[in-house]
Amino acid sequence: MKTVVPFISAASDGERQAWRDVLPAALEEVAEVKPFEALTEEERLAAKVAIVANPDPAEVAALPALVWVQSLWAGVERLCADLPENGPRIVRLTDPQMAETMSEAVLAWTLYLHRDMPRYRLQQEKKIWQDHVLKLPQERTIGVLGLGKLGAAAALRLKTNGFDVAGWSRSEKVLEGISCFHGEDGLAAILNRSDIIVLLMPLTVETKGLIGEKALQHCKKGAALINFARGPILDAKALIAALDRGDLSHAVLDVFNEEPLPQSDPLWGHESVTVLPHISAPTITTTASRIVAQNIGRYFETGTVPESVDRKRGY
């Protein structure tokens, strides 16, 4: 008889069904994946590991023997906030494909800004036929804020495509070919030199509201910004004010404090903002489910829990 692994999710119906379609097949040789609502009382009491995607904390709490949870997302700030500190260990999804997908998105939208696409879009709306001077990639400095796996992959991809790339992290890091900054002084320095700023850091107590009025004052005049991290890292009101003053030229936003972005939000209609529906690096279910199967299979064989989140740091 196979071990039962609960699947707990309060994600959208479509996303939840997509995982229900792939997880049982991926874990076929490892365990039986069952939705939480289909568990028997015996299975709830026996579960040592669960697969979760935006789970209801009450359902997680209903599994008293739980040792760890495998998140299906790279971001785990919601789990860290919802689950008790003495609760199950949290394992984030670390999929090399996600870093590849994110680096592709960063390059695409950096090129969008580099090639003045927002300006040409506005010109089309006003039926203006006018070209503008094109800079070379090496004349454009891209500042990548956050040098974890996603940020490092994005920085290296930008470098490969000819851009002058700098990186920032809270603590000191070294990345070959990339000028690296760290700490509060380093943040001001990288903002001051970057033509395009890319946010890719995790949301923690330290990074919430990090890019606010004070930080934006350090930005290079006319710089553009891409937020592919988390909405609360960026102060939206301070951003709009900087755009209205002309201190920043454009912002590409894929993440927000509230999602979906409310219809009444001023970001929708701002001519210097490109709104994306959180699509920069969607989880690829086929590759991710294989990694989940490997993690859980190894745990059942050896008792080894994959590297888990440091609850104090939040990642």
Side-chain angles (χ1 to χ4, degrees), residues 130-199:
Q130 181 182 349
D131 65 338
H132 301 279
V133 175
L134 175 64
K135 286 188 174 184
L136 296 173
Q138 56 264 37
E139 298 175 306
R140 189 89 69 180
T141 300
I142 316 299
V144 178
L145 276 56
L147 293 177
K149 292 182 179 179
L150 301 185
L156 292 172
R157 190 157 190 167
L158 290 166
K159 186 71 175 178
T160 300
N161 280 270
F163 289 101
D164 174 42
V165 184
W168 176 87
S169 52
R170 288 197 304 119
S171 55
E172 188 173 3
K173 289 191 176 181
V174 176
L175 202 57
E176 187 175 354
I178 308 296
S179 300
C180 293
F181 299 81
H182 69 280
E184 186 175 348
D185 291 341
L187 179 62
I190 194 171
L191 291 174
N192 186 256
R193 66 179 286 178
S194 298
D195 298 295
I196 299 173
I197 302 150
V198 182
L199 306 185

Side-chain angles (χ1 to χ4, degrees), residues 54-260:
N54 191 27
D56 180 341
E59 293 182 349
V60 177
L63 306 174
L66 209 56
V67 176
W68 63 287
V69 295
Q70 170 68 70
S71 173
L72 294 177
W73 295 334
V76 292
E77 62 276 357
R78 174 78 182 274
L79 281 175
C80 288
D82 287 348
L83 300 185
E85 286 193 25
N86 62 350
R89 294 163 67 179
I90 300 169
V91 176
R92 61 193 299 184
L93 180 65
T94 304
D95 185 352
Q97 180 58 50
M98 186 174 290
E100 180 71 12
T101 302
M102 178 61 85
S103 70
E104 176 186 77
V106 170
L107 175 61
W109 291 98
T110 296
L111 289 170
Y112 169 82
L113 295 169
H114 169 63
R115 295 301 299 259
D116 268 341
M117 298 300 182
R119 181 187 287 186
Y120 288 118
R121 174 175 58 82
L122 289 174
Q123 286 185 188
Q124 179 181 345
E125 292 176 3
K126 298 174 183 178
K127 300 179 182 178
I128 296 173
W129 185 281
Q130 181 182 349
D131 65 338
H132 301 279
V133 175
L134 175 64
K135 286 188 174 184
L136 296 173
Q138 56 264 37
E139 298 175 306
R140 189 89 69 180
T141 300
I142 316 299
V144 178
L145 276 56
L147 293 177
K149 292 182 179 179
L150 301 185
L156 292 172
R157 190 157 190 167
L158 290 166
K159 186 71 175 178
T160 300
N161 280 270
F163 289 101
D164 174 42
V165 184
W168 176 87
S169 52
R170 288 197 304 119
S171 55
E172 188 173 3
K173 289 191 176 181
V174 176
L175 202 57
E176 187 175 354
I178 308 296
S179 300
C180 293
F181 299 81
H182 69 280
E184 186 175 348
D185 291 341
L187 179 62
I190 194 171
L191 291 174
N192 186 256
R193 66 179 286 178
S194 298
D195 298 295
I196 299 173
I197 302 150
V198 182
L199 306 185
L200 280 174
M201 71 278 275
L203 175 60
T204 66
V205 173
E206 289 80 11
T207 63
K208 185 176 182 180
L210 181 67
I211 308 302
E213 183 178 357
K214 180 181 177 182
L216 293 175
Q217 288 175 352
H218 290 292
C219 289
K220 189 175 183 178
K221 181 75 172 179
L225 182 144
I226 298 171
N227 188 7
F228 285 172
R230 285 292 183 266
I233 290 172
L234 176 63
D235 183 332
K237 289 183 179 179
L239 171 67
I240 290 175
L243 291 168
D244 289 344
R245 291 193 304 268
D247 293 343
L248 294 180
S249 59
H250 199 85
V252 175
L253 307 178
D254 187 49
V255 289
F256 305 90
N257 287 353
E258 183 180 349
E259 297 181 8

Side-chain angles (χ1 to χ4, degrees), residues 18-31:
W19 285 111
R20 287 182 176 181
D21 289 342
V22 299
L23 286 170
L27 277 83
E28 185 176 10
E29 302 299 321
V30 176

